[in-house]
Every structure is written in structure tokens, then in C-alpha cells.
Amino acid sequence: MGNVPLNGEWRIDWENWSPKEDLTTVDYTMVPGHWTNSNSEKYPTGYATLSLTILLPENAKNLYLQNGVTRNAFEILIENNSIFQSGTIGKSISTEIPKLKVQTVALPDSKDQRIHLSLKISCFHYHNCGVATPYTIGNHSGINKLYLETISRDVFVFASLITLAFFHFVLYLFWRDEKTHIYFATVCFLAAVRLLSIGETRILYNYLPEGIYETIVRINGISFVLLYLAFVLYVKEIYHAPEYNLVYRTNYGIALLLFLALPLDIISFSKFLGAHLVLSLFGLLGLLYPIIHGVILRKPGSKFFLFSVVATISLFSLDILTEFAKRGIPYLAQYGFLVFGLSQALFIAERMIENFRNKERLKQEKENAEAKVKFKTSFLSTMSHEIRTPMNGILGMTQMLQQTELTEEQKEYLNLIKFSGDNLLLLVNDILDLTKLESGQFELHLEPISVRRLLHDCINIFKTQSDKNKLKVELEFVNEPPAFLITDQRRFAQILTNLLSNAVKFTEEGSIFVIVESTSIDDKKMRLKVSVKDTGIGIPEERMGNLFQPFSQVHSHLTEKTVGTGLGLAITKKIIEEMGGSISVQSIYGRGSNFTFQFDAEASFESIEGDVISTSNEMVKKTNWDSKLAEKYPLKILIADDDPINQKVSSLFLKKLGYTALQSENGEKTLDMIRTHLPDLVFLDIQMPDMDGITVTKCVRKSTSIEKQPVIVALTANVLEEEKQRCLSGGMDDFMTKPLLLHDLDFMIRKWAKKDLLPSNL
């Protein structure tokens, strides 16, 4: 008739392996289940005989029996003849050798359509004794089919979990930032390993030698703890809000409790393991809080996750029921593993899809933001160029006018014009600097600088600008600074001059001290700390919060001496942060302020060439010029500029230096004049109507008809670093920005006359 599970009441003879048939008092126990008596009273650890008489139909032959999970050692007998033995049964813990094995055995043919089946069981190594899963009788094909189905279920679930583990481990290798993959892979792997010991066929118990049962029980408990911890970490990685921390910590504590029981004897340990399973179930119920909350918040994949956790809790529930032998269907637990794995795979897949969508959205937003930044930079660059071009005429002609005979009233008016022009130029420079800092286009150009020389030169600039009788500007060294420091010279000087400029601006009389201290970090690195301390008007405490905000002027209510852009300190702070440093301020209103900045840099023992320093606006060598420069360096100079006012300013400047300049207003004419007149030095405007300056330069450099290659200096109103690099890459030798200053022109001519120029008009 097929396979028949031998479930129901079996006769039990407690502590008796040779029961008699004529006993008047017979007790019964339920199989599968713990061994109990008819009153459902549980027997302790010990030994007993379970027996059953099976009635067979006529001609029932070639029957087979598949035993269930029986703890700890047992022997199967038919008509008191042993047909299978697992382990060694004994009447004490010392004589018993436990072994848990599921086996299919052939039954001898019956002569009277009856089979008297007996089980001699001893159980001294586990707290729950008896038969945990059904015994089944059937024909050869039926029992084989049942066994293959059992094996197939275990193998199928095991292979599925291992595949999921491997797949998500590989995903983790590609997306290291997504730790959910590695945690999920760990959960699947541990679940697969655990299946070897709790599956229907108990593969781990079947094929290991006798004598290590206790070790396997403890390993089984540890595998459960590791699986539990991996699952909690997995949930935490997905729902990691601080409000859930108590739930996670509670589960950690519950999981780790089992390690306290490892030193106990096997019976105590198995009892603790059973209690631990129940406690773990309550801990897992607590994990529903963050998961259900995620469903309420509509987080991606939260419903899949809730479903999988419910399946997992069901799995643990079935584990517990199987552990206490209350049910005989443990293979459903294996399907619970599979449901968990597959539903989690769907959950992770949904999260990945959502992440890809978010990345695409972020990518689009990034591209839009970059386009806006690019437009903003381009706009500001263009506006800077357009503003600087007329500013070149205004400031240039102002310089020329200052060289003429003027009345005191005219000098006052001219000074106001120059003051306003300088402020406008400063505003343009500051806005460009702030834009580059905010857009991430700011770059540091590291080079070895002489610390003492840079500091002295910056201080000297302000000493010459202030009244020595009213205001002292002093430099102090706490200890000997490094001879050279590798940093951005121009930006270091810009920071220092910004702070000194503010100190001078807000200190009518008294003193300003620049205090420098250096500290060694290691063999190569130094920490430079610079304080700019003044005795000026100080800063009100309520305005300190706005001190480093753009366009914020703390003392805008004071005299015209404090007029500025409100960008200096904001730019200073951002530059220091770009250098990896920090800035702080201490101030007492009415008594002065102390700005301190520090940054780390490599100390260098290399020397630097030249004696140029950087200020907040441009590279300067000196502030005067030589009217007889042409006598010292008699060069032929060409000015190429399409703006007639700028041409006029440049030619007047050169005239002041003693030169008569050649002039051209477009690219074609510039090329013709270079070929014809062979100038030594060309000041070349970048933006010209017919051919830009870089194109002209490339034509000059490639030309074989030009006997002598001139030094070409870019002359442009575009001050961005990218423009400078573009010019130098295009073949130009140097770079100057408008508005052009007379001493800058003097310096540039000296620089190249000393280097490479051989005067062509000697």
C-alpha cells in the first residue's frame, strides 16, 4: 500500500531491555516525541525498550524500514533479532557511545503477517530523549524514493544557500561599500553549514566516526550563535538608525550567552542550548520593530525583508519544536531556510535596483551641478575679463596722470579714483577666488619657500604703508623655523597679507605682532603656527559667528577705512582648510584681536631660485620702476592688443621706461610684424578679433621663416589658473594679467632680459 509512518503509541519498558510479553501493566509513549509514560510524565535520561507490533496484509514481502532521529544510541530488533545498530547502547553515560544515524534497513519476511519491532535506546548525552522524527515502513521502491526525496531536499536547500552565499560574496567584491552582500553571504553560508547537522538526514552525524557526538553538539550550538549574530548584523546594516541600537545590543547579548555554557557537561549544555533557542526566538521577535518601521516608512524592499524575517522566525520555531521533539516535520525548517534565502535575494535585488536608480539620479544631478558651476565659472571669468579690460585703461591712465604736474585738489581727486579702482579690482579677484574654492577647482601649487624671507617681505610691505610713529608692525619667532617649507607660496602669502591687512585696517595706533612657532611632527613634516595679534578695536562677541561668512563685514558701521568686500576672511579660512590647516580667533572688543592659523607641510633643504614673493593680488618684485630701463636693456618690444585704450596705456608705460613700442591690433598684423621686425619681446593679447593670441603663438613657434624666436608674454584680463596653463601649453613663455601696472612691466622686461634675450637692436 506504499510507505506508512509508524506514528502513534508505542509500548515503553523503562530501564528494561528484556521485557516480557505477559506483563499485566503496560505503559505507552508517543512516537515521535519525548519518551513519556501514559500520564505524559517525562522520563529522565536513561535507557528503555520501545516496541510495536505491525500487522501486515497477505503476501507482504520485501519490506524496508527507515528509522527516524533517535537519541543517543539505539539498536533495532525484529523478533528480538538485531538488524541495525547506531552507536553503542549502555546503561550509564560511561558505557554509552552515542551516534545519530538515519538508515534504511531490510526487514525479514513475516510468517504470520506480523512484525514485532523493538528499539533498545540509551540516552545519557542529551537532555531530550526518545524518537524525534518518524520511523517509516514500506516496500523497496517506496522507501528508496522517500530516502532520495529526503536527501534531495537537503542537497537542494544546501546547494541553493551555498550558491546564494557565493553570488553575494562576489557582489561584495565588486561593491565593497555595500556590506549587506557580505553579511547576507555569511548568513546563507552558516545556514548551509548548519543544515548538515539539523537536516532530515543529519549528514554530519551520519558520516562522522563514533566518539565525537558531544563535540558535534557543541559545534552545532556555536554554528547557531554565529548564524544568529550574522543575521542581526545583516538587519543592522540595513536598518542602522540609533533608535534601534537597543534591539541589536539585546540580540548580541542573547546570542553570546551560549558561550558561557560551553565548559558545562553535555547534559547541562544541551539543556542550556534548548533554553537558549527559546530566548533567541524572543530576541528575533524584537527585530521585527525596525523592520516593521521600515515598512511604515516605505523603505525599498522592506516588505520582502519582513516576509523573509517572518519565515526565519518560523524556521527557528520549527527548530525549537524539533529540538523538543514536539513535531516530526523538520524538513519544513529546511524550506524555511530556502524561503529566507530567496526572499532576501529579492529584497537585495530591489535595493540594488533602487541604488542604481539613485546613482543615476545623483549622476544626473552631479552633471547638472557641474554644468551650473561651469557656467558660473565661465560667466565670472568673462565678467572678470570684461571688467579688467576697461580697468586697465582706468588704472593705467591714473598711473600716468600721477606722473604729471597736479594741484593738491587734483591729487586728492586722483587718489580717490585710484582707491575706487583698486577696491573694484580687489572685489573681482576675491569673487574669482571664492568661486574657485566653492566649485572645487582650487589647486595648490607646492614649491619650497624660504619661510623667513616670505614673512619678512610681507611684514615690510605693511611697514612701509603704515605710520611708524603710530603703528608698529613686528615679526617674532618663538623658535627657529625650518629654512624651507614645501607649500603654496602665493596662497601662504595671501593668507598672511589678508590677516595683516585687516589688522592694519582696524588698528589706528598701537602694535601688530606676527608670532611664528614651528613644531616637528616627524622627520619630514613640520607644523607651522602663525598668530597675527593687534591692539585694534577688536570684535564684538555677538558678531564672532559671522566673522568667516562671505560678504559679511563685522565693522561695516565704522569709518571709510574699513570699506572692503567682506570676502577676505571667508577666502582665508577656505584656503587654510584646502591646505589641511585650521584658523581660530580670540578677540576682546575695544582691546584687540588675535587670529591664529596653522598647517602641516614638509620641511625642505632645497634652495629656491629668485627672490619673488606672493601677495594677495599678484606676484611682485618691487613697487618702483626705472625710467632708464631701455638704456640697460635695449630691446625691441611689440605690443599686440585690439583695444585702442589698452594699446595707448601699454605704449605710454613703455615710453616711461624709455622704449618706443611696435604696435599691432590683430593676429595677422602681429604675425607680419614678427616676421618683418623680429622683436625680442612680444606682449600678446589673448582675445583678438581675427586670431587669438594662442593661435598666433603656435604659428610663430611652427614658422621656419622667422629667423629669431621672440619671448612671448600673454597679456590678458582672464586671471584663472586654467587660462595661464593654456597659454603656457600653447607655447607662450610667460603670463601677465590686466590691469597692467608699470612696475609689473618693468619687472617682466628685467626678468626675460636677464635670462634669454640677446638685444637685436644693439
Side-chain angles (χ1 to χ4, degrees), residues 188-199:
C188 290
F189 176 75
L190 290 172
V193 170
R194 184 167 166 75
L195 188 65
L196 298 176
S197 62
I198 66 166

Side-chain angles (χ1 to χ4, degrees), residues 462 497-507 534 568-569 595:
F462 288 93
T497 51
N498 277 351
L499 296 178
L500 279 169
S501 177
N502 281 342
V504 171
K505 188 187 298 183
F506 298 116
T507 308
D534 64 64
L569 286 177
F595 286 83

Side-chain angles (χ1 to χ4, degrees), residues 1-234:
M1 302 298 293
N3 297 332
V4 177
L6 303 179
N7 297 341
E9 291 184 338
W10 288 43
R11 173 178 168 174
I12 183 169
D13 293 279
W14 179 248
E15 295 188 342
N16 185 355
W17 278 340
S18 302
K20 297 180 180 179
E21 291 292 337
D22 57 351
L23 289 178
T24 55
T25 304
V26 177
D27 215 344
Y28 296 93
T29 187
M30 292 299 297
V31 174
H34 295 316
W35 52 23
T36 56
N37 58 23
S38 300
N39 298 322
S40 299
E41 296 173 349
K42 183 179 176 182
Y43 288 112
T45 57
Y47 62 95
T49 300
L50 274 63
S51 55
L52 185 70
T53 300
I54 306 169
L55 303 180
L56 303 176
E58 293 183 4
N59 302 319
K61 295 181 179 180
N62 301 321
L63 298 179
Y64 286 81
L65 179 72
Q66 181 175 294
N67 67 286
V69 174
T70 308
R71 298 188 180 96
N72 286 119
F74 64 95
E75 184 179 0
I76 302 176
L77 300 95
I78 300 294
E79 308 295 343
N80 292 324
N81 296 317
S82 176
I83 62 171
F84 177 72
Q85 185 171 338
S86 177
T88 303
I89 57 175
K91 295 184 178 181
S92 66
I93 192 169
S94 60
T95 58
E96 179 191 66
I97 302 176
K99 184 173 177 62
L100 195 157
K101 190 171 184 179
V102 176
Q103 184 71 36
T104 298
V105 292
L107 300 179
D109 292 338
S110 172
K111 296 179 180 179
D112 56 356
Q113 283 76 51
R114 290 173 181 244
I115 293 178
H116 296 282
L117 173 65
S118 301
L119 299 178
K120 292 182 179 181
I121 304 174
S122 66
C123 181
F124 293 98
H125 289 80
Y126 207 77
H127 72 292
N128 286 331
C129 300
V131 180
T133 60
Y135 276 60
T136 305
I137 190 172
N139 56 36
H140 183 267
S141 61
I143 291 295
N144 274 347
K145 182 181 177 182
L146 175 64
Y147 186 73
L148 289 174
E149 287 175 352
T150 306
I151 287 287
S152 298
R153 283 193 290 266
D154 281 352
V155 171
F156 173 69
V157 177
F158 178 83
S160 299
L161 291 172
I162 288 293
T163 302
L164 285 171
F166 178 75
F167 177 72
H168 284 275
F169 176 74
V170 172
L171 286 179
Y172 172 71
L173 295 180
F174 284 97
W175 287 285
R176 293 295 181 94
D177 56 332
E178 188 63 62
K179 292 184 179 179
T180 50
H181 292 302
I182 192 62
Y183 287 131
F184 180 60
T186 304
V187 170
C188 290
F189 176 75
L190 290 172
V193 170
R194 184 167 166 75
L195 188 65
L196 298 176
S197 62
I198 66 166
E200 290 183 81
T201 54
R202 301 298 202 269
I203 297 173
L204 195 63
Y205 290 102
N206 268 353
Y207 298 104
L208 289 176
E210 294 182 359
I212 60 170
Y213 176 84
E214 292 187 18
T215 303
I216 298 302
V217 171
R218 295 180 195 276
I219 291 175
N220 189 33
I222 293 171
S223 72
F224 170 74
V225 171
L226 295 177
L227 175 61
Y228 187 9
L229 287 172
F231 182 74
V232 176
L233 289 170
Y234 174 54

